[in-house]
Short mmCIF file of all heavy atoms in Angstrom, two decimals:
data_model
loop_
_atom_site.label_atom_id
_atom_site.label_comp_id
_atom_site.label_asym_id
_atom_site.label_seq_id
_atom_site.Cartn_x
_atom_site.Cartn_y
_atom_site.Cartn_z
N ARG F 142 48.60 100.87 108.28
CA ARG F 142 48.69 99.51 107.85
C ARG F 142 49.37 98.61 108.90
O ARG F 142 48.92 97.53 109.18
CB ARG F 142 49.48 99.46 106.52
CG ARG F 142 49.42 98.09 105.90
CD ARG F 142 49.95 98.13 104.45
NE ARG F 142 49.82 96.85 103.82
CZ ARG F 142 49.84 96.67 102.53
NH1 ARG F 142 50.15 97.68 101.71
NH2 ARG F 142 49.67 95.49 102.00
N GLU F 143 50.47 99.12 109.52
CA GLU F 143 51.17 98.34 110.47
C GLU F 143 50.39 98.21 111.82
O GLU F 143 50.38 97.17 112.44
CB GLU F 143 52.54 98.99 110.78
CG GLU F 143 53.52 98.95 109.63
CD GLU F 143 54.75 99.77 109.84
OE1 GLU F 143 54.87 100.47 110.87
OE2 GLU F 143 55.63 99.74 108.91
N ARG F 144 49.73 99.30 112.22
CA ARG F 144 49.14 99.30 113.54
C ARG F 144 47.70 98.79 113.55
O ARG F 144 47.30 98.23 114.55
CB ARG F 144 49.21 100.75 114.06
CG ARG F 144 48.85 100.87 115.51
CD ARG F 144 49.15 102.20 116.07
NE ARG F 144 50.59 102.31 116.34
CZ ARG F 144 51.16 103.35 116.85
NH1 ARG F 144 50.42 104.40 117.11
NH2 ARG F 144 52.45 103.37 117.07
N TYR F 145 46.96 99.05 112.48
CA TYR F 145 45.50 98.75 112.52
C TYR F 145 45.07 97.69 111.54
O TYR F 145 44.00 97.13 111.72
CB TYR F 145 44.73 100.03 112.23
CG TYR F 145 44.91 101.07 113.29
CD1 TYR F 145 45.78 102.10 113.05
CD2 TYR F 145 44.30 100.96 114.55
CE1 TYR F 145 45.96 103.14 114.04
CE2 TYR F 145 44.54 101.92 115.52
CZ TYR F 145 45.35 103.00 115.24
OH TYR F 145 45.55 103.92 116.22
N ILE F 146 45.89 97.34 110.54
CA ILE F 146 45.44 96.40 109.49
C ILE F 146 45.96 94.99 109.76
O ILE F 146 45.29 94.03 109.41
CB ILE F 146 45.87 96.93 108.12
CG1 ILE F 146 45.18 98.25 107.82
CG2 ILE F 146 45.50 95.91 107.03
CD1 ILE F 146 43.73 98.24 107.83
N ARG F 147 47.12 94.85 110.26
CA ARG F 147 47.77 93.54 110.38
C ARG F 147 46.86 92.53 111.00
O ARG F 147 46.65 91.41 110.45
CB ARG F 147 49.08 93.70 111.15
CG ARG F 147 49.84 92.43 111.18
CD ARG F 147 51.20 92.63 111.79
NE ARG F 147 51.97 93.51 110.93
CZ ARG F 147 52.89 94.39 111.44
NH1 ARG F 147 53.12 94.47 112.67
NH2 ARG F 147 53.51 95.21 110.58
N ASP F 148 46.21 92.78 112.16
CA ASP F 148 45.36 91.84 112.81
C ASP F 148 44.08 91.56 112.01
O ASP F 148 43.56 90.47 112.07
CB ASP F 148 45.00 92.29 114.23
CG ASP F 148 46.21 92.17 115.18
OD1 ASP F 148 47.12 91.48 114.90
OD2 ASP F 148 46.20 92.87 116.23
N LYS F 149 43.60 92.61 111.32
CA LYS F 149 42.37 92.39 110.52
C LYS F 149 42.62 91.45 109.39
O LYS F 149 41.82 90.57 109.08
CB LYS F 149 41.88 93.74 110.01
CG LYS F 149 41.33 94.63 111.07
CD LYS F 149 41.03 96.03 110.51
CE LYS F 149 40.44 97.00 111.46
NZ LYS F 149 40.54 96.87 112.84
N LEU F 150 43.83 91.52 108.75
CA LEU F 150 44.16 90.63 107.63
C LEU F 150 44.31 89.22 108.14
O LEU F 150 44.00 88.29 107.41
CB LEU F 150 45.43 91.12 106.96
CG LEU F 150 45.28 92.44 106.19
CD1 LEU F 150 46.63 92.82 105.56
CD2 LEU F 150 44.19 92.44 105.14
N LYS F 151 44.73 89.03 109.34
CA LYS F 151 44.88 87.68 109.91
C LYS F 151 43.51 86.97 109.99
O LYS F 151 43.48 85.75 110.00
CB LYS F 151 45.55 87.71 111.28
CG LYS F 151 47.02 88.01 111.20
CD LYS F 151 47.63 88.07 112.58
CE LYS F 151 49.15 88.44 112.49
NZ LYS F 151 49.75 88.57 113.75
N ILE F 152 42.48 87.72 110.12
CA ILE F 152 41.14 87.15 110.12
C ILE F 152 40.93 86.26 108.88
O ILE F 152 40.32 85.17 108.97
CB ILE F 152 40.02 88.23 110.27
CG1 ILE F 152 40.15 88.93 111.67
CG2 ILE F 152 38.64 87.61 110.04
CD1 ILE F 152 39.26 90.18 111.75
N LEU F 153 41.40 86.74 107.79
CA LEU F 153 41.20 86.03 106.49
C LEU F 153 41.98 84.71 106.42
O LEU F 153 41.75 83.90 105.54
CB LEU F 153 41.55 86.91 105.29
CG LEU F 153 40.66 88.17 105.14
CD1 LEU F 153 41.22 89.01 104.02
CD2 LEU F 153 39.20 87.74 104.87
N GLU F 154 42.86 84.49 107.38
CA GLU F 154 43.61 83.23 107.41
C GLU F 154 42.96 82.19 108.36
O GLU F 154 43.43 81.09 108.48
CB GLU F 154 45.04 83.50 107.86
CG GLU F 154 45.80 84.39 106.82
CD GLU F 154 47.15 84.86 107.36
OE1 GLU F 154 47.49 84.63 108.51
OE2 GLU F 154 47.87 85.44 106.49
N GLU F 155 41.91 82.62 109.06
CA GLU F 155 41.24 81.73 109.99
C GLU F 155 40.46 80.63 109.25
O GLU F 155 40.07 80.78 108.13
CB GLU F 155 40.24 82.52 110.88
CG GLU F 155 40.94 83.50 111.76
CD GLU F 155 39.96 84.34 112.61
OE1 GLU F 155 38.69 84.11 112.52
OE2 GLU F 155 40.42 85.21 113.36
N ASP F 156 40.26 79.51 109.95
CA ASP F 156 39.43 78.49 109.46
C ASP F 156 37.98 78.79 109.73
O ASP F 156 37.67 79.54 110.63
CB ASP F 156 39.80 77.12 110.09
CG ASP F 156 41.16 76.62 109.65
OD1 ASP F 156 41.56 76.91 108.48
OD2 ASP F 156 41.85 76.03 110.46
N GLY F 157 37.10 78.20 108.89
CA GLY F 157 35.65 78.45 109.10
C GLY F 157 35.00 78.61 107.78
O GLY F 157 35.63 78.66 106.70
N HIS F 158 33.67 78.71 107.80
CA HIS F 158 32.92 78.92 106.62
C HIS F 158 33.23 80.26 106.05
O HIS F 158 33.37 81.27 106.83
CB HIS F 158 31.41 78.82 106.92
CG HIS F 158 30.62 78.73 105.64
ND1 HIS F 158 30.31 79.88 104.90
CD2 HIS F 158 30.07 77.68 105.01
CE1 HIS F 158 29.62 79.49 103.82
NE2 HIS F 158 29.44 78.18 103.89
N PRO F 159 33.46 80.38 104.74
CA PRO F 159 33.83 81.68 104.13
C PRO F 159 32.91 82.83 104.55
O PRO F 159 33.42 83.91 104.86
CB PRO F 159 33.70 81.42 102.65
CG PRO F 159 34.04 79.99 102.48
CD PRO F 159 33.41 79.31 103.68
N LYS F 160 31.62 82.59 104.61
CA LYS F 160 30.72 83.70 104.98
C LYS F 160 30.94 84.26 106.37
O LYS F 160 31.04 85.42 106.63
CB LYS F 160 29.23 83.31 104.88
CG LYS F 160 28.37 84.52 105.22
CD LYS F 160 26.90 84.32 105.03
CE LYS F 160 26.19 85.63 105.32
NZ LYS F 160 24.81 85.56 105.32
N GLU F 161 31.23 83.36 107.34
CA GLU F 161 31.50 83.75 108.67
C GLU F 161 32.81 84.48 108.80
O GLU F 161 32.93 85.48 109.47
CB GLU F 161 31.55 82.47 109.60
CG GLU F 161 30.16 81.80 109.72
CD GLU F 161 30.25 80.44 110.37
OE1 GLU F 161 31.39 80.04 110.82
OE2 GLU F 161 29.23 79.75 110.37
N VAL F 162 33.87 83.94 108.13
CA VAL F 162 35.18 84.60 108.13
C VAL F 162 35.08 85.97 107.47
O VAL F 162 35.62 86.97 107.98
CB VAL F 162 36.24 83.72 107.46
CG1 VAL F 162 37.57 84.43 107.37
CG2 VAL F 162 36.44 82.41 108.25
N LEU F 163 34.44 86.02 106.37
CA LEU F 163 34.31 87.31 105.58
C LEU F 163 33.53 88.34 106.43
O LEU F 163 33.92 89.52 106.46
CB LEU F 163 33.59 87.08 104.26
CG LEU F 163 34.44 86.31 103.23
CD1 LEU F 163 33.59 85.83 102.08
CD2 LEU F 163 35.63 87.19 102.72
N THR F 164 32.43 87.92 107.02
CA THR F 164 31.64 88.85 107.81
C THR F 164 32.44 89.39 108.96
O THR F 164 32.44 90.60 109.23
CB THR F 164 30.39 88.14 108.36
OG1 THR F 164 29.61 87.68 107.23
CG2 THR F 164 29.53 89.08 109.20
N LYS F 165 33.20 88.56 109.65
CA LYS F 165 34.07 88.97 110.70
C LYS F 165 35.10 89.98 110.22
O LYS F 165 35.35 90.99 110.90
CB LYS F 165 34.73 87.76 111.38
CG LYS F 165 35.59 88.07 112.56
CD LYS F 165 36.20 86.76 113.12
CE LYS F 165 37.15 87.13 114.25
NZ LYS F 165 37.75 85.89 114.81
N PHE F 166 35.68 89.71 109.00
CA PHE F 166 36.68 90.63 108.49
C PHE F 166 36.09 91.97 108.18
O PHE F 166 36.59 92.99 108.63
CB PHE F 166 37.27 90.01 107.22
CG PHE F 166 38.13 90.92 106.42
CD1 PHE F 166 39.36 91.26 106.91
CD2 PHE F 166 37.79 91.40 105.19
CE1 PHE F 166 40.27 92.14 106.20
CE2 PHE F 166 38.60 92.23 104.45
CZ PHE F 166 39.81 92.61 104.99
N TYR F 167 35.00 92.02 107.45
CA TYR F 167 34.36 93.32 107.08
C TYR F 167 33.95 94.07 108.40
O TYR F 167 34.18 95.27 108.49
CB TYR F 167 33.13 93.07 106.23
CG TYR F 167 33.45 92.71 104.82
CD1 TYR F 167 33.21 91.39 104.38
CD2 TYR F 167 33.91 93.61 103.88
CE1 TYR F 167 33.48 90.99 103.10
CE2 TYR F 167 34.19 93.24 102.60
CZ TYR F 167 33.91 91.91 102.19
OH TYR F 167 34.21 91.55 100.88
N LEU F 168 33.32 93.40 109.31
CA LEU F 168 32.83 94.09 110.52
C LEU F 168 34.03 94.59 111.41
O LEU F 168 33.78 95.52 112.19
CB LEU F 168 31.95 93.15 111.34
CG LEU F 168 30.58 92.86 110.71
CD1 LEU F 168 29.80 91.87 111.57
CD2 LEU F 168 29.77 94.12 110.49
#
C-alpha cells in the first residue's frame, strides 16, 4: 500500500473527464 498504491490513488485526484481519469487509474 505504501510503496505501490499511493501514486495510483493520486490519479483519482487529477482533473479531467471521469472516463479518462478512471481509465488511467485502472490501467
Side-chain angles (χ1 to χ4, degrees):
R142 190 169 186 165
E143 291 170 358
R144 192 168 281 181
Y145 297 102
I146 298 300
R147 188 171 295 146
D148 289 340
K149 291 173 178 18
L150 294 179
K151 287 181 183 176
I152 293 170
L153 295 175
E154 297 173 351
E155 294 177 3
D156 291 326
H158 191 281
K160 182 174 183 185
E161 293 167 6
V162 174
L163 291 167
T164 301
K165 182 177 178 183
F166 172 70
Y167 288 105
L168 290 177

